[in-house]
Short mmCIF file of all heavy atoms in Angstrom, two decimals:
data_model
loop_
_atom_site.label_atom_id
_atom_site.label_comp_id
_atom_site.label_asym_id
_atom_site.label_seq_id
_atom_site.Cartn_x
_atom_site.Cartn_y
_atom_site.Cartn_z
N MET A 1039 -15.69 10.23 61.84
CA MET A 1039 -17.06 10.56 62.19
C MET A 1039 -17.81 11.08 60.96
O MET A 1039 -18.92 10.65 60.70
CB MET A 1039 -17.04 11.59 63.32
CG MET A 1039 -18.39 11.95 63.82
SD MET A 1039 -19.05 10.59 64.76
CE MET A 1039 -20.41 11.35 65.50
N LEU A 1040 -17.22 11.99 60.24
CA LEU A 1040 -17.86 12.56 59.06
C LEU A 1040 -18.07 11.48 58.00
O LEU A 1040 -19.15 11.40 57.40
CB LEU A 1040 -17.02 13.70 58.49
CG LEU A 1040 -17.58 14.41 57.27
CD1 LEU A 1040 -18.91 15.07 57.62
CD2 LEU A 1040 -16.60 15.43 56.74
N PHE A 1041 -17.06 10.65 57.80
CA PHE A 1041 -17.17 9.58 56.81
C PHE A 1041 -18.25 8.58 57.22
O PHE A 1041 -19.04 8.13 56.38
CB PHE A 1041 -15.82 8.89 56.62
CG PHE A 1041 -15.87 7.79 55.60
CD1 PHE A 1041 -15.96 8.09 54.26
CD2 PHE A 1041 -15.84 6.46 55.99
CE1 PHE A 1041 -16.02 7.09 53.31
CE2 PHE A 1041 -15.90 5.45 55.05
CZ PHE A 1041 -15.98 5.76 53.71
N ASP A 1042 -18.29 8.22 58.51
CA ASP A 1042 -19.32 7.30 59.00
C ASP A 1042 -20.71 7.86 58.79
O ASP A 1042 -21.63 7.13 58.41
CB ASP A 1042 -19.11 7.01 60.49
CG ASP A 1042 -17.86 6.19 60.76
OD1 ASP A 1042 -17.40 5.49 59.84
OD2 ASP A 1042 -17.35 6.26 61.90
N ASN A 1043 -20.86 9.14 59.02
CA ASN A 1043 -22.15 9.80 58.81
C ASN A 1043 -22.55 9.77 57.33
O ASN A 1043 -23.70 9.49 57.00
CB ASN A 1043 -22.09 11.25 59.33
CG ASN A 1043 -23.44 11.90 59.38
OD1 ASN A 1043 -24.46 11.24 59.32
ND2 ASN A 1043 -23.45 13.21 59.50
N LEU A 1044 -21.60 10.02 56.47
CA LEU A 1044 -21.85 10.00 55.03
C LEU A 1044 -22.26 8.61 54.57
O LEU A 1044 -23.22 8.44 53.81
CB LEU A 1044 -20.60 10.47 54.28
CG LEU A 1044 -20.71 10.55 52.77
CD1 LEU A 1044 -21.75 11.58 52.37
CD2 LEU A 1044 -19.36 10.92 52.18
N VAL A 1045 -21.55 7.60 55.05
CA VAL A 1045 -21.86 6.22 54.68
C VAL A 1045 -23.24 5.83 55.20
O VAL A 1045 -24.03 5.19 54.50
CB VAL A 1045 -20.77 5.25 55.20
CG1 VAL A 1045 -21.20 3.80 55.06
CG2 VAL A 1045 -19.46 5.49 54.48
N SER A 1046 -23.53 6.23 56.43
CA SER A 1046 -24.83 5.91 57.02
C SER A 1046 -25.97 6.55 56.22
O SER A 1046 -26.99 5.92 55.97
CB SER A 1046 -24.86 6.40 58.46
OG SER A 1046 -26.12 6.21 59.02
N ARG A 1047 -25.81 7.81 55.83
CA ARG A 1047 -26.83 8.48 55.04
C ARG A 1047 -27.00 7.84 53.67
O ARG A 1047 -28.12 7.69 53.17
CB ARG A 1047 -26.49 9.96 54.89
CG ARG A 1047 -26.68 10.73 56.19
CD ARG A 1047 -26.28 12.16 56.06
NE ARG A 1047 -27.10 12.83 55.05
CZ ARG A 1047 -26.81 14.01 54.55
NH1 ARG A 1047 -25.75 14.67 54.94
NH2 ARG A 1047 -27.60 14.56 53.64
N ALA A 1048 -25.90 7.44 53.06
CA ALA A 1048 -25.96 6.79 51.75
C ALA A 1048 -26.67 5.44 51.86
O ALA A 1048 -27.52 5.10 51.03
CB ALA A 1048 -24.56 6.60 51.18
N ARG A 1049 -26.37 4.69 52.91
CA ARG A 1049 -27.00 3.39 53.12
C ARG A 1049 -28.51 3.56 53.35
O ARG A 1049 -29.32 2.82 52.80
CB ARG A 1049 -26.36 2.69 54.31
CG ARG A 1049 -26.85 1.29 54.51
CD ARG A 1049 -26.08 0.56 55.59
NE ARG A 1049 -24.73 0.28 55.12
CZ ARG A 1049 -23.63 0.49 55.84
NH1 ARG A 1049 -23.71 0.96 57.05
NH2 ARG A 1049 -22.45 0.20 55.35
N ASN A 1050 -28.87 4.56 54.15
CA ASN A 1050 -30.27 4.85 54.42
C ASN A 1050 -31.00 5.22 53.13
O ASN A 1050 -32.12 4.77 52.88
CB ASN A 1050 -30.39 5.96 55.46
CG ASN A 1050 -31.80 6.20 55.89
OD1 ASN A 1050 -32.64 5.31 55.82
ND2 ASN A 1050 -32.07 7.41 56.35
N SER A 1051 -30.37 6.03 52.32
CA SER A 1051 -30.96 6.44 51.05
C SER A 1051 -31.17 5.25 50.12
O SER A 1051 -32.22 5.12 49.48
CB SER A 1051 -30.06 7.48 50.38
OG SER A 1051 -30.60 7.89 49.16
N LEU A 1052 -30.20 4.36 50.06
CA LEU A 1052 -30.33 3.17 49.22
C LEU A 1052 -31.43 2.25 49.73
O LEU A 1052 -32.17 1.66 48.94
CB LEU A 1052 -29.00 2.41 49.15
CG LEU A 1052 -27.91 3.08 48.33
CD1 LEU A 1052 -26.58 2.34 48.51
CD2 LEU A 1052 -28.28 3.15 46.87
N ASP A 1053 -31.53 2.12 51.04
CA ASP A 1053 -32.59 1.29 51.61
C ASP A 1053 -33.97 1.85 51.28
O ASP A 1053 -34.88 1.10 50.93
CB ASP A 1053 -32.44 1.18 53.14
CG ASP A 1053 -31.28 0.31 53.54
OD1 ASP A 1053 -30.80 -0.48 52.71
OD2 ASP A 1053 -30.85 0.44 54.71
N ARG A 1054 -34.10 3.15 51.40
CA ARG A 1054 -35.38 3.79 51.05
C ARG A 1054 -35.72 3.55 49.59
O ARG A 1054 -36.86 3.22 49.25
CB ARG A 1054 -35.33 5.29 51.28
CG ARG A 1054 -35.51 5.70 52.68
CD ARG A 1054 -35.51 7.20 52.74
NE ARG A 1054 -35.76 7.66 54.09
CZ ARG A 1054 -35.94 8.91 54.39
NH1 ARG A 1054 -35.90 9.84 53.47
NH2 ARG A 1054 -36.17 9.26 55.64
N ARG A 1055 -34.75 3.73 48.70
CA ARG A 1055 -34.97 3.55 47.27
C ARG A 1055 -35.36 2.11 46.97
O ARG A 1055 -36.26 1.85 46.18
CB ARG A 1055 -33.72 3.95 46.50
CG ARG A 1055 -33.78 3.71 44.99
CD ARG A 1055 -34.96 4.37 44.33
NE ARG A 1055 -34.85 5.79 44.34
CZ ARG A 1055 -35.68 6.61 43.72
NH1 ARG A 1055 -36.69 6.11 43.03
NH2 ARG A 1055 -35.54 7.90 43.78
N ARG A 1056 -34.70 1.16 47.62
CA ARG A 1056 -35.01 -0.25 47.43
C ARG A 1056 -36.45 -0.56 47.84
O ARG A 1056 -37.18 -1.23 47.11
CB ARG A 1056 -34.04 -1.10 48.24
CG ARG A 1056 -33.50 -2.28 47.51
CD ARG A 1056 -32.46 -3.05 48.31
NE ARG A 1056 -31.12 -2.56 47.98
CZ ARG A 1056 -30.26 -2.06 48.85
NH1 ARG A 1056 -30.53 -2.02 50.12
NH2 ARG A 1056 -29.08 -1.64 48.45
N ARG A 1057 -36.84 -0.06 49.01
CA ARG A 1057 -38.21 -0.27 49.49
C ARG A 1057 -39.22 0.36 48.55
O ARG A 1057 -40.24 -0.23 48.21
CB ARG A 1057 -38.39 0.36 50.88
CG ARG A 1057 -38.48 -0.63 51.97
CD ARG A 1057 -38.82 -0.02 53.29
NE ARG A 1057 -38.11 1.23 53.53
CZ ARG A 1057 -38.51 2.17 54.36
NH1 ARG A 1057 -39.60 2.03 55.05
NH2 ARG A 1057 -37.81 3.27 54.53
N TYR A 1058 -38.93 1.59 48.10
CA TYR A 1058 -39.83 2.30 47.19
C TYR A 1058 -39.98 1.53 45.88
O TYR A 1058 -41.10 1.30 45.42
CB TYR A 1058 -39.28 3.71 46.92
CG TYR A 1058 -40.08 4.49 45.92
CD1 TYR A 1058 -41.29 5.06 46.27
CD2 TYR A 1058 -39.64 4.65 44.61
CE1 TYR A 1058 -42.04 5.78 45.36
CE2 TYR A 1058 -40.37 5.37 43.69
CZ TYR A 1058 -41.57 5.93 44.07
OH TYR A 1058 -42.31 6.64 43.16
N ASN A 1059 -38.88 1.10 45.31
CA ASN A 1059 -38.93 0.37 44.04
C ASN A 1059 -39.70 -0.94 44.17
O ASN A 1059 -40.45 -1.32 43.27
CB ASN A 1059 -37.52 0.10 43.52
CG ASN A 1059 -36.87 1.33 42.96
OD1 ASN A 1059 -37.52 2.31 42.63
ND2 ASN A 1059 -35.55 1.31 42.87
N ARG A 1060 -39.52 -1.64 45.30
CA ARG A 1060 -40.22 -2.89 45.51
C ARG A 1060 -41.73 -2.66 45.59
O ARG A 1060 -42.51 -3.39 44.98
CB ARG A 1060 -39.71 -3.55 46.78
CG ARG A 1060 -40.27 -4.94 47.02
CD ARG A 1060 -39.73 -5.58 48.27
NE ARG A 1060 -39.72 -4.58 49.34
CZ ARG A 1060 -38.74 -4.42 50.23
NH1 ARG A 1060 -37.72 -5.19 50.22
NH2 ARG A 1060 -38.80 -3.50 51.15
N LEU A 1061 -42.16 -1.64 46.34
CA LEU A 1061 -43.58 -1.36 46.47
C LEU A 1061 -44.19 -0.88 45.15
O LEU A 1061 -45.30 -1.27 44.79
CB LEU A 1061 -43.82 -0.32 47.56
CG LEU A 1061 -43.58 -0.83 48.98
CD1 LEU A 1061 -43.60 0.33 49.97
CD2 LEU A 1061 -44.61 -1.86 49.35
N VAL A 1062 -43.46 -0.05 44.41
CA VAL A 1062 -43.96 0.42 43.12
C VAL A 1062 -44.11 -0.76 42.16
O VAL A 1062 -45.13 -0.87 41.47
CB VAL A 1062 -43.02 1.50 42.52
CG1 VAL A 1062 -43.32 1.74 41.05
CG2 VAL A 1062 -43.15 2.80 43.30
N ALA A 1063 -43.16 -1.66 42.15
CA ALA A 1063 -43.25 -2.84 41.28
C ALA A 1063 -44.47 -3.69 41.66
O ALA A 1063 -45.17 -4.19 40.78
CB ALA A 1063 -41.97 -3.67 41.37
N GLU A 1064 -44.71 -3.82 42.94
CA GLU A 1064 -45.87 -4.60 43.39
C GLU A 1064 -47.17 -3.93 42.95
O GLU A 1064 -48.08 -4.61 42.46
CB GLU A 1064 -45.84 -4.72 44.91
CG GLU A 1064 -46.87 -5.67 45.45
CD GLU A 1064 -46.73 -5.87 46.94
OE1 GLU A 1064 -45.60 -5.77 47.45
OE2 GLU A 1064 -47.76 -6.13 47.58
N ILE A 1065 -47.26 -2.63 43.08
CA ILE A 1065 -48.47 -1.91 42.67
C ILE A 1065 -48.65 -1.98 41.16
O ILE A 1065 -49.74 -2.23 40.66
CB ILE A 1065 -48.41 -0.44 43.14
CG1 ILE A 1065 -48.51 -0.38 44.67
CG2 ILE A 1065 -49.53 0.39 42.51
CD1 ILE A 1065 -48.18 0.98 45.26
N GLN A 1066 -47.57 -1.81 40.42
CA GLN A 1066 -47.64 -1.84 38.96
C GLN A 1066 -48.02 -3.22 38.44
O GLN A 1066 -48.61 -3.35 37.37
CB GLN A 1066 -46.31 -1.42 38.33
CG GLN A 1066 -45.93 0.02 38.60
CD GLN A 1066 -46.80 1.03 37.90
OE1 GLN A 1066 -47.83 0.71 37.31
NE2 GLN A 1066 -46.42 2.28 37.96
N SER A 1067 -47.70 -4.26 39.22
CA SER A 1067 -48.01 -5.62 38.77
C SER A 1067 -49.48 -5.98 38.98
O SER A 1067 -49.94 -6.98 38.44
CB SER A 1067 -47.12 -6.64 39.49
OG SER A 1067 -47.51 -6.76 40.84
N MET A 1068 -50.19 -5.17 39.75
CA MET A 1068 -51.61 -5.45 40.00
C MET A 1068 -52.42 -5.12 38.75
O MET A 1068 -52.19 -4.10 38.10
CB MET A 1068 -52.11 -4.62 41.17
CG MET A 1068 -51.45 -4.97 42.49
SD MET A 1068 -52.00 -3.91 43.82
CE MET A 1068 -53.55 -4.71 44.20
N SER A 1069 -53.35 -5.99 38.43
CA SER A 1069 -54.21 -5.75 37.27
C SER A 1069 -55.28 -4.72 37.64
O SER A 1069 -55.54 -4.46 38.81
CB SER A 1069 -54.86 -7.05 36.81
OG SER A 1069 -55.84 -7.45 37.76
N ASP A 1070 -55.91 -4.18 36.61
CA ASP A 1070 -57.00 -3.24 36.84
C ASP A 1070 -58.13 -3.92 37.60
O ASP A 1070 -58.80 -3.31 38.44
CB ASP A 1070 -57.52 -2.68 35.52
CG ASP A 1070 -56.51 -1.75 34.86
OD1 ASP A 1070 -55.63 -1.21 35.56
OD2 ASP A 1070 -56.60 -1.57 33.63
N ARG A 1071 -58.31 -5.19 37.34
CA ARG A 1071 -59.34 -5.96 38.03
C ARG A 1071 -59.03 -6.09 39.53
O ARG A 1071 -59.90 -5.93 40.37
CB ARG A 1071 -59.48 -7.34 37.39
CG ARG A 1071 -60.47 -8.26 38.04
CD ARG A 1071 -61.88 -7.71 37.89
NE ARG A 1071 -62.82 -8.51 38.61
CZ ARG A 1071 -63.84 -9.12 38.06
NH1 ARG A 1071 -64.05 -9.02 36.76
NH2 ARG A 1071 -64.65 -9.83 38.79
N ASP A 1072 -57.76 -6.36 39.83
CA ASP A 1072 -57.34 -6.45 41.24
C ASP A 1072 -57.61 -5.13 41.96
O ASP A 1072 -58.11 -5.12 43.08
CB ASP A 1072 -55.85 -6.79 41.35
CG ASP A 1072 -55.52 -8.18 40.87
OD1 ASP A 1072 -56.41 -9.05 40.90
OD2 ASP A 1072 -54.35 -8.39 40.48
N LEU A 1073 -57.27 -4.05 41.30
CA LEU A 1073 -57.47 -2.72 41.90
C LEU A 1073 -58.95 -2.44 42.09
O LEU A 1073 -59.36 -1.89 43.12
CB LEU A 1073 -56.82 -1.65 41.03
CG LEU A 1073 -55.29 -1.68 41.01
CD1 LEU A 1073 -54.77 -0.74 39.93
CD2 LEU A 1073 -54.71 -1.34 42.36
N ALA A 1074 -59.75 -2.83 41.13
CA ALA A 1074 -61.19 -2.62 41.25
C ALA A 1074 -61.77 -3.45 42.39
O ALA A 1074 -62.65 -2.98 43.12
CB ALA A 1074 -61.88 -2.98 39.94
N ASP A 1075 -61.27 -4.66 42.55
CA ASP A 1075 -61.75 -5.52 43.63
C ASP A 1075 -61.49 -4.92 45.01
O ASP A 1075 -62.29 -5.10 45.93
CB ASP A 1075 -61.11 -6.91 43.55
CG ASP A 1075 -61.66 -7.74 42.41
OD1 ASP A 1075 -62.72 -7.37 41.85
OD2 ASP A 1075 -61.03 -8.77 42.08
N ILE A 1076 -60.36 -4.24 45.16
CA ILE A 1076 -60.05 -3.64 46.46
C ILE A 1076 -60.41 -2.15 46.50
O ILE A 1076 -60.11 -1.47 47.47
CB ILE A 1076 -58.58 -3.85 46.86
CG1 ILE A 1076 -57.63 -3.18 45.87
CG2 ILE A 1076 -58.26 -5.31 47.03
CD1 ILE A 1076 -56.18 -3.19 46.30
N ARG A 1077 -61.06 -1.71 45.43
CA ARG A 1077 -61.50 -0.31 45.31
C ARG A 1077 -60.36 0.66 45.57
O ARG A 1077 -60.45 1.56 46.42
CB ARG A 1077 -62.66 -0.04 46.25
CG ARG A 1077 -63.87 -0.85 45.88
CD ARG A 1077 -65.01 -0.59 46.75
NE ARG A 1077 -66.09 -1.50 46.33
CZ ARG A 1077 -67.22 -1.61 46.96
NH1 ARG A 1077 -67.46 -0.88 48.01
NH2 ARG A 1077 -68.12 -2.45 46.53
N ALA A 1078 -59.30 0.49 44.81
CA ALA A 1078 -58.11 1.31 44.97
C ALA A 1078 -57.73 1.95 43.64
O ALA A 1078 -58.01 1.42 42.58
CB ALA A 1078 -56.96 0.47 45.47
N SER A 1079 -57.10 3.07 43.75
CA SER A 1079 -56.59 3.78 42.58
C SER A 1079 -55.08 3.61 42.53
O SER A 1079 -54.38 3.85 43.52
CB SER A 1079 -56.94 5.27 42.70
OG SER A 1079 -56.16 6.05 41.84
N ARG A 1080 -54.57 3.19 41.38
CA ARG A 1080 -53.13 2.98 41.23
C ARG A 1080 -52.37 4.27 41.53
O ARG A 1080 -51.39 4.26 42.27
CB ARG A 1080 -52.81 2.48 39.82
CG ARG A 1080 -51.37 2.06 39.66
CD ARG A 1080 -51.07 1.59 38.24
NE ARG A 1080 -52.10 0.79 37.62
CZ ARG A 1080 -52.19 -0.54 37.69
NH1 ARG A 1080 -51.29 -1.20 38.38
NH2 ARG A 1080 -53.15 -1.18 37.09
N SER A 1081 -52.84 5.37 41.00
CA SER A 1081 -52.13 6.63 41.21
C SER A 1081 -52.16 7.05 42.68
O SER A 1081 -51.16 7.55 43.21
CB SER A 1081 -52.70 7.74 40.32
OG SER A 1081 -54.05 7.97 40.64
N GLU A 1082 -53.27 6.81 43.36
CA GLU A 1082 -53.35 7.16 44.78
C GLU A 1082 -52.43 6.25 45.60
O GLU A 1082 -51.77 6.72 46.54
CB GLU A 1082 -54.79 7.03 45.28
CG GLU A 1082 -54.96 7.39 46.73
CD GLU A 1082 -54.64 8.84 47.06
OE1 GLU A 1082 -54.76 9.71 46.17
OE2 GLU A 1082 -54.27 9.10 48.21
N MET A 1083 -52.36 4.99 45.23
CA MET A 1083 -51.47 4.08 45.94
C MET A 1083 -50.01 4.49 45.75
O MET A 1083 -49.23 4.50 46.72
CB MET A 1083 -51.68 2.65 45.46
CG MET A 1083 -53.00 2.06 45.91
SD MET A 1083 -53.30 0.42 45.22
CE MET A 1083 -52.16 -0.55 46.20
N LEU A 1084 -49.64 4.85 44.53
CA LEU A 1084 -48.26 5.30 44.27
C LEU A 1084 -47.95 6.58 45.04
O LEU A 1084 -46.85 6.74 45.58
CB LEU A 1084 -48.06 5.49 42.77
CG LEU A 1084 -48.07 4.21 41.94
CD1 LEU A 1084 -48.09 4.55 40.46
CD2 LEU A 1084 -46.90 3.32 42.30
N TYR A 1085 -48.92 7.48 45.10
CA TYR A 1085 -48.74 8.72 45.85
C TYR A 1085 -48.51 8.42 47.33
O TYR A 1085 -47.61 8.98 47.96
CB TYR A 1085 -49.97 9.63 45.67
CG TYR A 1085 -49.97 10.81 46.60
CD1 TYR A 1085 -49.14 11.91 46.36
CD2 TYR A 1085 -50.78 10.84 47.71
CE1 TYR A 1085 -49.14 12.99 47.21
CE2 TYR A 1085 -50.80 11.92 48.58
CZ TYR A 1085 -49.96 13.00 48.32
OH TYR A 1085 -49.95 14.07 49.17
N GLN A 1086 -49.30 7.52 47.89
CA GLN A 1086 -49.19 7.19 49.31
C GLN A 1086 -47.86 6.48 49.62
O GLN A 1086 -47.27 6.72 50.67
CB GLN A 1086 -50.38 6.32 49.76
CG GLN A 1086 -51.69 7.04 49.79
CD GLN A 1086 -51.69 8.23 50.74
OE1 GLN A 1086 -51.03 8.23 51.78
NE2 GLN A 1086 -52.44 9.26 50.38
N VAL A 1087 -47.40 5.64 48.71
CA VAL A 1087 -46.12 4.98 48.91
C VAL A 1087 -45.00 6.00 48.95
O VAL A 1087 -44.12 5.98 49.82
CB VAL A 1087 -45.86 3.93 47.80
CG1 VAL A 1087 -44.40 3.52 47.75
CG2 VAL A 1087 -46.74 2.72 48.02
N ARG A 1088 -45.03 6.92 48.00
CA ARG A 1088 -43.98 7.95 47.97
C ARG A 1088 -44.02 8.81 49.23
O ARG A 1088 -42.98 9.11 49.82
CB ARG A 1088 -44.14 8.82 46.73
CG ARG A 1088 -43.07 9.88 46.61
CD ARG A 1088 -43.11 10.56 45.26
NE ARG A 1088 -42.18 11.64 45.17
CZ ARG A 1088 -40.88 11.49 44.97
NH1 ARG A 1088 -40.36 10.29 44.83
NH2 ARG A 1088 -40.09 12.54 44.91
N LYS A 1089 -45.22 9.17 49.65
CA LYS A 1089 -45.39 9.98 50.84
C LYS A 1089 -44.89 9.24 52.08
O LYS A 1089 -44.24 9.81 52.95
CB LYS A 1089 -46.87 10.34 50.98
CG LYS A 1089 -47.20 11.30 52.07
CD LYS A 1089 -48.67 11.67 51.95
CE LYS A 1089 -49.23 12.10 53.28
NZ LYS A 1089 -50.67 12.33 53.23
N GLN A 1090 -45.21 7.95 52.16
CA GLN A 1090 -44.81 7.14 53.31
C GLN A 1090 -43.30 7.00 53.40
O GLN A 1090 -42.71 7.10 54.47
CB GLN A 1090 -45.45 5.77 53.23
CG GLN A 1090 -45.04 4.81 54.33
CD GLN A 1090 -45.59 3.42 54.13
OE1 GLN A 1090 -46.33 3.16 53.19
NE2 GLN A 1090 -45.22 2.52 54.99
N ILE A 1091 -42.64 6.78 52.26
CA ILE A 1091 -41.21 6.51 52.29
C ILE A 1091 -40.38 7.78 52.34
O ILE A 1091 -39.40 7.85 53.09
CB ILE A 1091 -40.82 5.64 51.07
CG1 ILE A 1091 -41.55 4.34 51.19
CG2 ILE A 1091 -39.33 5.50 50.95
CD1 ILE A 1091 -41.00 3.14 50.63
N TYR A 1092 -40.77 8.77 51.59
CA TYR A 1092 -39.94 9.99 51.50
C TYR A 1092 -40.48 11.17 52.31
O TYR A 1092 -39.83 12.18 52.41
CB TYR A 1092 -39.78 10.40 50.04
CG TYR A 1092 -38.96 9.41 49.26
CD1 TYR A 1092 -39.54 8.62 48.28
CD2 TYR A 1092 -37.61 9.23 49.52
CE1 TYR A 1092 -38.80 7.71 47.58
CE2 TYR A 1092 -36.86 8.32 48.82
CZ TYR A 1092 -37.45 7.56 47.85
OH TYR A 1092 -36.71 6.65 47.15
N GLY A 1093 -41.67 11.00 52.83
CA GLY A 1093 -42.21 12.06 53.69
C GLY A 1093 -42.94 13.15 53.01
O GLY A 1093 -43.20 13.38 51.95
#
């Protein structure tokens, strides 16, 4: 039971990290022009992604 819980938590943590890294890469790949077109701030988007994934 303890080992299963540990493995489950580790898997959950890796999944979160994978999702976070994918979203950060997507945001970082956007040009300044793309961000201006959607009226978004890169730093605000990164903040919201972190908040959404890690709470």
Side-chain angles (χ1 to χ4, degrees):
M1039 183 73 168
L1040 181 63
F1041 181 73
D1042 291 337
N1043 191 16
L1044 182 63
V1045 169
S1046 176
R1047 288 177 61 193
R1049 186 173 290 135
N1050 186 25
S1051 180
L1052 288 172
D1053 288 341
R1054 280 183 177 187
R1055 176 55 69 173
R1056 224 176 267 122
R1057 253 187 318 157
Y1058 176 77
N1059 286 342
R1060 186 179 43 221
L1061 289 170
V1062 166
E1064 188 174 331
I1065 292 168
Q1066 295 291 9
S1067 72
M1068 296 177 81
S1069 71
D1070 291 337
R1071 178 66 185 240
D1072 293 335
L1073 292 170
D1075 287 346
I1076 62 172
R1077 296 181 183 174
S1079 163
R1080 188 181 320 271
S1081 62
E1082 181 64 26
M1083 289 175 74
L1084 292 171
Y1085 170 76
Q1086 291 300 327
V1087 164
R1088 181 170 175 78
K1089 187 173 154 186
Q1090 177 186 357
I1091 297 209
Y1092 293 111

